[in-house]
Amino acid sequence: MLFGTEILTTAQMRAIESDAMASGGVSGVQLMQRAGAAVAGQIRLRWPKPGRVTVLCGPGNNGGDGYVIARLLARTDWQVRVLGMDNEPGPDAAEMKRCWQKAGPILPLTRAELRRNEADIYVDAIFGTGLTRPPVGEIAEVLDYLGGSDGDDGHVRQRLVTVDCPSGLCMDSGAFLGKPRQPSADDLHARLTITFDSPKPGHLLERGPACCGELVVADIGLHDWRVRASGPEQDHRTAHLTAIWPRFRVPDARRPAAAQGIWAEWLEKREGSGGHKFSHGHAMVLAGPPGHGGAARLAARAALRVGAGLVTICPPGAAMIEHAGPPDALMRRAVDDATALSDLLQDQRIGALCIGPGCGVERARELLPPLLDSGRACVLDADALTALAAMGWNGLHDRCVLTPHGGEFSRLFPDLAERLAARPDHGPALSKLDATREAARRSGAVVLLKGPDTVIAAPPRRDKPNATGHAVIHSAFDIPWLATAGAGDVLAGIIAGLLARGLTPLTAASLGSFLHGATARGIGPGLIADDLPDRIPGAFLDLVP
């Protein structure tokens, strides 16, 4: 089960638009008019009293959308000022430009002209999703001004509406082309962004969520061609990419019944099982030496709360005493070394294991070989990832889930981390999505790269090694209090519990990330990791259809 909203890369979006226009079912002008109408409608919805608007039109199709917006707002008594370029765009944008010129002038798109008159709203229709190089010259100066380079961050951003994306933002990565990957005070921030048909990765990754503001996904009539592009004969155009509950609005027809789907699967696991604990999965958490048991207990409690029928925590014998407290539902069994683990794994009822939280690097290094040799579903987190980085990839398989944060990812995949941190001088820039997918391909395991823009990627299918595995983006920029010690241990336990219940690794990681975020969102600021496991049942109750 995969759930959420489909995401398209910029190349996939262009391919679908091309298919639609080549079919004769819709023209480029019609798509442009629909896009412009969607933006104008969203502006009028939020600013019902007409005022002064400055529309900034770029040299291509995004600028064409801008001319449509200007014309439609002028018809509803807005005072419209258009700044554009002295160029001849493509035929569709050129037609929209001529239509505007019958209604009003086009002033130069310069910083000086932009500053000449104050507006109630500014519309950025300069560059859209297809930008491949950093803005330069006068346009770069205009964007710097919109970003607050005059020292007043609030000068424009609370009144800025962007078409597709803030200009200069790479829609495949969420990075600003020609700028460092770290946030900057003069990054272009919008109050509202309207994009079309489907979200793009850059709306959800890196700077995208913060800089796009409220994201609205408008339907412009491409649904039929997008569905056709998802057929088995069109694998190169299929998205294979999903977003879990990001903060954007999608058209009613595109809004997935994800909550009902999750809940239905949860109930299905309960039906016909006879209620025996082993029928709901046995998860094991491999704990570490004395004094390091807290992280493993967080993971074990989370596995219990997510519905595993049985959870056993397995420290070395010397540390058993510190695990004697609650929860009483937790089983305890000593595992001193690799031989003991191998013997324990003869029990075929053990469905999944979690190793890493509080385990200790040396102990993880000893226990990983028998664990991986068993072929059992497993979550490798924290110390297990550090041990794995030293050991190499031998033994990993597609039932493994790796859950690194950025630092652990850089130890596991140093070349990918280095490329991901480099300033992108052209687009499409390497994205967190690209890096995670490549990590999954190399390792052969599911990789969950944590962060406010968590990305989960499955390795390619064995029969299609050159294809791209499915990936999921979980955008949780609105839960900053989740960045607290131990939260990652809870996530590892949730995923292990879901694996033990029989979910596939990608689904367990995706659903686990969603539950982790939903639980944290329900707790609010002041959260500590100890709060999370016991609030998981509340997150499930919120999913009741």
Short mmCIF file of all heavy atoms in Angstrom, two decimals, residues 324-358:
data_model
loop_
_atom_site.label_atom_id
_atom_site.label_comp_id
_atom_site.label_asym_id
_atom_site.label_seq_id
_atom_site.Cartn_x
_atom_site.Cartn_y
_atom_site.Cartn_z
N ALA A 324 14.21 -3.84 33.56
CA ALA A 324 13.23 -4.56 34.38
C ALA A 324 11.96 -3.75 34.62
O ALA A 324 10.95 -4.31 35.06
CB ALA A 324 13.86 -4.93 35.73
N GLY A 325 11.96 -2.45 34.35
CA GLY A 325 10.79 -1.61 34.61
C GLY A 325 9.73 -1.74 33.53
O GLY A 325 9.82 -2.58 32.62
N PRO A 326 8.72 -0.86 33.62
CA PRO A 326 7.65 -0.89 32.61
C PRO A 326 8.19 -0.49 31.23
O PRO A 326 9.26 0.11 31.15
CB PRO A 326 6.64 0.12 33.15
CG PRO A 326 7.34 0.93 34.17
CD PRO A 326 8.52 0.16 34.65
N PRO A 327 7.45 -0.85 30.18
CA PRO A 327 6.12 -1.49 30.19
C PRO A 327 6.20 -2.99 30.44
O PRO A 327 7.10 -3.67 29.94
CB PRO A 327 5.58 -1.19 28.80
CG PRO A 327 6.79 -1.10 27.94
CD PRO A 327 7.86 -0.49 28.80
N ASP A 328 5.26 -3.50 31.21
CA ASP A 328 5.26 -4.92 31.53
C ASP A 328 4.95 -5.78 30.31
O ASP A 328 5.25 -6.98 30.31
CB ASP A 328 4.22 -5.19 32.63
CG ASP A 328 4.61 -4.55 33.96
OD1 ASP A 328 5.83 -4.36 34.17
OD2 ASP A 328 3.71 -4.24 34.76
N ALA A 329 4.35 -5.18 29.28
CA ALA A 329 4.05 -5.95 28.07
C ALA A 329 5.31 -6.30 27.29
O ALA A 329 5.27 -7.16 26.40
CB ALA A 329 3.10 -5.16 27.17
N LEU A 330 6.42 -5.65 27.60
CA LEU A 330 7.66 -5.87 26.86
C LEU A 330 8.36 -7.12 27.35
O LEU A 330 8.58 -7.30 28.55
CB LEU A 330 8.56 -4.64 27.02
CG LEU A 330 9.86 -4.60 26.23
CD1 LEU A 330 9.56 -4.58 24.74
CD2 LEU A 330 10.66 -3.37 26.62
N MET A 331 8.74 -8.00 26.42
CA MET A 331 9.51 -9.19 26.75
C MET A 331 11.00 -8.83 26.80
O MET A 331 11.44 -7.89 26.16
CB MET A 331 9.27 -10.29 25.70
CG MET A 331 7.81 -10.61 25.45
SD MET A 331 7.00 -11.38 26.87
CE MET A 331 7.73 -13.02 26.81
N ARG A 332 11.76 -9.61 27.59
CA ARG A 332 13.20 -9.38 27.72
C ARG A 332 13.93 -10.70 27.51
O ARG A 332 13.51 -11.74 28.02
CB ARG A 332 13.58 -8.84 29.10
CG ARG A 332 13.17 -7.40 29.36
CD ARG A 332 11.83 -7.33 30.02
NE ARG A 332 11.49 -5.95 30.43
CZ ARG A 332 10.26 -5.56 30.69
NH1 ARG A 332 9.24 -6.41 30.61
NH2 ARG A 332 10.03 -4.32 31.06
N ARG A 333 15.02 -10.61 26.76
CA ARG A 333 15.85 -11.80 26.56
C ARG A 333 17.27 -11.37 26.29
O ARG A 333 17.51 -10.48 25.46
CB ARG A 333 15.32 -12.63 25.41
CG ARG A 333 16.14 -13.89 25.15
CD ARG A 333 15.38 -14.89 24.34
NE ARG A 333 16.18 -16.08 24.08
CZ ARG A 333 15.71 -17.18 23.51
NH1 ARG A 333 14.43 -17.24 23.16
NH2 ARG A 333 16.49 -18.22 23.30
N ALA A 334 18.21 -11.98 26.98
CA ALA A 334 19.61 -11.60 26.83
C ALA A 334 20.18 -12.14 25.53
O ALA A 334 19.92 -13.29 25.14
CB ALA A 334 20.42 -12.12 28.01
N VAL A 335 20.93 -11.30 24.83
CA VAL A 335 21.69 -11.71 23.65
C VAL A 335 23.10 -11.15 23.83
O VAL A 335 23.32 -9.94 23.71
CB VAL A 335 21.06 -11.17 22.35
CG1 VAL A 335 21.98 -11.43 21.16
CG2 VAL A 335 19.70 -11.80 22.11
N ASP A 336 24.04 -12.04 24.14
CA ASP A 336 25.38 -11.57 24.49
C ASP A 336 26.29 -11.40 23.28
O ASP A 336 27.19 -10.56 23.30
CB ASP A 336 26.03 -12.54 25.48
CG ASP A 336 25.52 -12.34 26.89
OD1 ASP A 336 25.46 -11.17 27.33
OD2 ASP A 336 25.16 -13.33 27.55
N ASP A 337 26.08 -12.20 22.24
CA ASP A 337 27.03 -12.15 21.14
C ASP A 337 26.36 -12.64 19.85
O ASP A 337 25.17 -12.97 19.82
CB ASP A 337 28.28 -12.97 21.46
CG ASP A 337 27.95 -14.40 21.89
OD1 ASP A 337 26.91 -14.94 21.44
OD2 ASP A 337 28.73 -14.97 22.68
N ALA A 338 27.17 -12.73 18.80
CA ALA A 338 26.65 -13.12 17.49
C ALA A 338 26.11 -14.55 17.50
O ALA A 338 25.10 -14.86 16.86
CB ALA A 338 27.74 -12.98 16.44
N THR A 339 26.77 -15.44 18.26
CA THR A 339 26.29 -16.82 18.32
C THR A 339 24.91 -16.90 18.95
O THR A 339 24.02 -17.61 18.46
CB THR A 339 27.28 -17.69 19.12
OG1 THR A 339 28.56 -17.66 18.47
CG2 THR A 339 26.80 -19.13 19.21
N ALA A 340 24.73 -16.14 20.04
CA ALA A 340 23.43 -16.13 20.70
C ALA A 340 22.34 -15.58 19.76
O ALA A 340 21.21 -16.09 19.75
CB ALA A 340 23.50 -15.29 21.97
N LEU A 341 22.68 -14.57 18.99
CA LEU A 341 21.69 -14.02 18.06
C LEU A 341 21.36 -15.04 16.97
O LEU A 341 20.19 -15.22 16.59
CB LEU A 341 22.20 -12.72 17.44
CG LEU A 341 21.27 -12.05 16.42
CD1 LEU A 341 19.92 -11.72 17.05
CD2 LEU A 341 21.90 -10.79 15.84
N SER A 342 22.38 -15.71 16.45
CA SER A 342 22.13 -16.73 15.42
C SER A 342 21.20 -17.82 15.93
O SER A 342 20.28 -18.27 15.23
CB SER A 342 23.45 -17.36 14.97
OG SER A 342 24.26 -16.41 14.31
N ASP A 343 21.43 -18.25 17.18
CA ASP A 343 20.57 -19.28 17.76
C ASP A 343 19.14 -18.76 17.91
O ASP A 343 18.17 -19.48 17.60
CB ASP A 343 21.11 -19.70 19.13
CG ASP A 343 22.44 -20.45 19.03
OD1 ASP A 343 22.76 -20.93 17.92
OD2 ASP A 343 23.14 -20.53 20.06
N LEU A 344 19.00 -17.51 18.34
CA LEU A 344 17.67 -16.94 18.54
C LEU A 344 16.92 -16.82 17.23
O LEU A 344 15.69 -17.02 17.17
CB LEU A 344 17.81 -15.57 19.20
CG LEU A 344 16.53 -14.87 19.66
CD1 LEU A 344 15.75 -15.75 20.64
CD2 LEU A 344 16.85 -13.53 20.30
N LEU A 345 17.64 -16.51 16.16
CA LEU A 345 16.99 -16.32 14.86
C LEU A 345 16.55 -17.62 14.21
O LEU A 345 15.97 -17.59 13.11
CB LEU A 345 17.92 -15.54 13.93
CG LEU A 345 18.12 -14.07 14.30
CD1 LEU A 345 19.16 -13.41 13.41
CD2 LEU A 345 16.80 -13.31 14.21
N GLN A 346 16.78 -18.73 14.87
CA GLN A 346 16.21 -19.98 14.38
C GLN A 346 14.69 -20.00 14.56
O GLN A 346 14.00 -20.78 13.93
CB GLN A 346 16.84 -21.17 15.13
CG GLN A 346 18.34 -21.32 14.94
CD GLN A 346 18.75 -21.39 13.48
OE1 GLN A 346 18.20 -22.20 12.73
NE2 GLN A 346 19.68 -20.54 13.08
N ASP A 347 14.21 -19.14 15.45
CA ASP A 347 12.76 -19.03 15.67
C ASP A 347 12.14 -18.28 14.49
O ASP A 347 12.33 -17.07 14.33
CB ASP A 347 12.50 -18.27 16.98
CG ASP A 347 11.02 -18.23 17.35
OD1 ASP A 347 10.18 -18.56 16.49
OD2 ASP A 347 10.72 -17.85 18.49
N GLN A 348 11.39 -18.97 13.68
CA GLN A 348 10.83 -18.38 12.46
C GLN A 348 9.68 -17.41 12.74
O GLN A 348 9.21 -16.72 11.84
CB GLN A 348 10.36 -19.49 11.51
CG GLN A 348 11.48 -20.37 11.00
CD GLN A 348 12.56 -19.57 10.28
OE1 GLN A 348 12.26 -18.74 9.41
NE2 GLN A 348 13.81 -19.80 10.64
N ARG A 349 9.22 -17.35 14.00
CA ARG A 349 8.13 -16.43 14.33
C ARG A 349 8.62 -15.00 14.49
O ARG A 349 7.80 -14.08 14.55
CB ARG A 349 7.45 -16.89 15.61
CG ARG A 349 6.76 -18.24 15.50
CD ARG A 349 6.21 -18.70 16.83
NE ARG A 349 7.27 -18.84 17.83
CZ ARG A 349 7.07 -19.21 19.10
NH1 ARG A 349 5.84 -19.46 19.52
NH2 ARG A 349 8.09 -19.32 19.93
N ILE A 350 9.92 -14.80 14.54
CA ILE A 350 10.45 -13.44 14.65
C ILE A 350 10.32 -12.77 13.28
O ILE A 350 10.90 -13.21 12.29
CB ILE A 350 11.93 -13.46 15.09
CG1 ILE A 350 12.04 -14.08 16.49
CG2 ILE A 350 12.51 -12.04 15.08
CD1 ILE A 350 13.46 -14.35 16.92
N GLY A 351 9.53 -11.69 13.23
CA GLY A 351 9.21 -11.08 11.95
C GLY A 351 10.12 -9.95 11.55
O GLY A 351 10.32 -9.70 10.35
N ALA A 352 10.66 -9.21 12.50
CA ALA A 352 11.49 -8.06 12.16
C ALA A 352 12.36 -7.70 13.34
O ALA A 352 12.02 -7.97 14.50
CB ALA A 352 10.62 -6.86 11.77
N LEU A 353 13.50 -7.09 13.05
CA LEU A 353 14.43 -6.67 14.09
C LEU A 353 14.80 -5.21 13.89
O LEU A 353 14.79 -4.69 12.76
CB LEU A 353 15.70 -7.53 14.08
CG LEU A 353 15.50 -9.02 14.41
CD1 LEU A 353 15.36 -9.83 13.12
CD2 LEU A 353 16.65 -9.54 15.25
N CYS A 354 15.14 -4.58 14.99
CA CYS A 354 15.65 -3.21 14.98
C CYS A 354 16.99 -3.21 15.68
O CYS A 354 17.11 -3.70 16.81
CB CYS A 354 14.67 -2.28 15.70
SG CYS A 354 15.26 -0.59 15.90
N ILE A 355 18.01 -2.68 15.02
CA ILE A 355 19.33 -2.62 15.61
C ILE A 355 19.91 -1.23 15.42
O ILE A 355 19.77 -0.65 14.34
CB ILE A 355 20.27 -3.69 15.01
CG1 ILE A 355 21.66 -3.63 15.65
CG2 ILE A 355 20.35 -3.59 13.49
CD1 ILE A 355 22.55 -4.81 15.26
N GLY A 356 20.51 -0.71 16.45
CA GLY A 356 21.17 0.60 16.36
C GLY A 356 20.92 1.52 17.52
O GLY A 356 21.87 2.06 18.10
N PRO A 357 19.66 1.77 17.92
CA PRO A 357 19.41 2.71 19.01
C PRO A 357 20.06 2.25 20.32
O PRO A 357 19.68 1.24 20.90
CB PRO A 357 17.88 2.71 19.13
CG PRO A 357 17.39 2.36 17.76
CD PRO A 357 18.39 1.36 17.28
N GLY A 358 21.08 2.99 20.77
CA GLY A 358 21.77 2.67 22.01
C GLY A 358 22.54 1.37 21.98
O GLY A 358 22.97 0.87 23.03
#
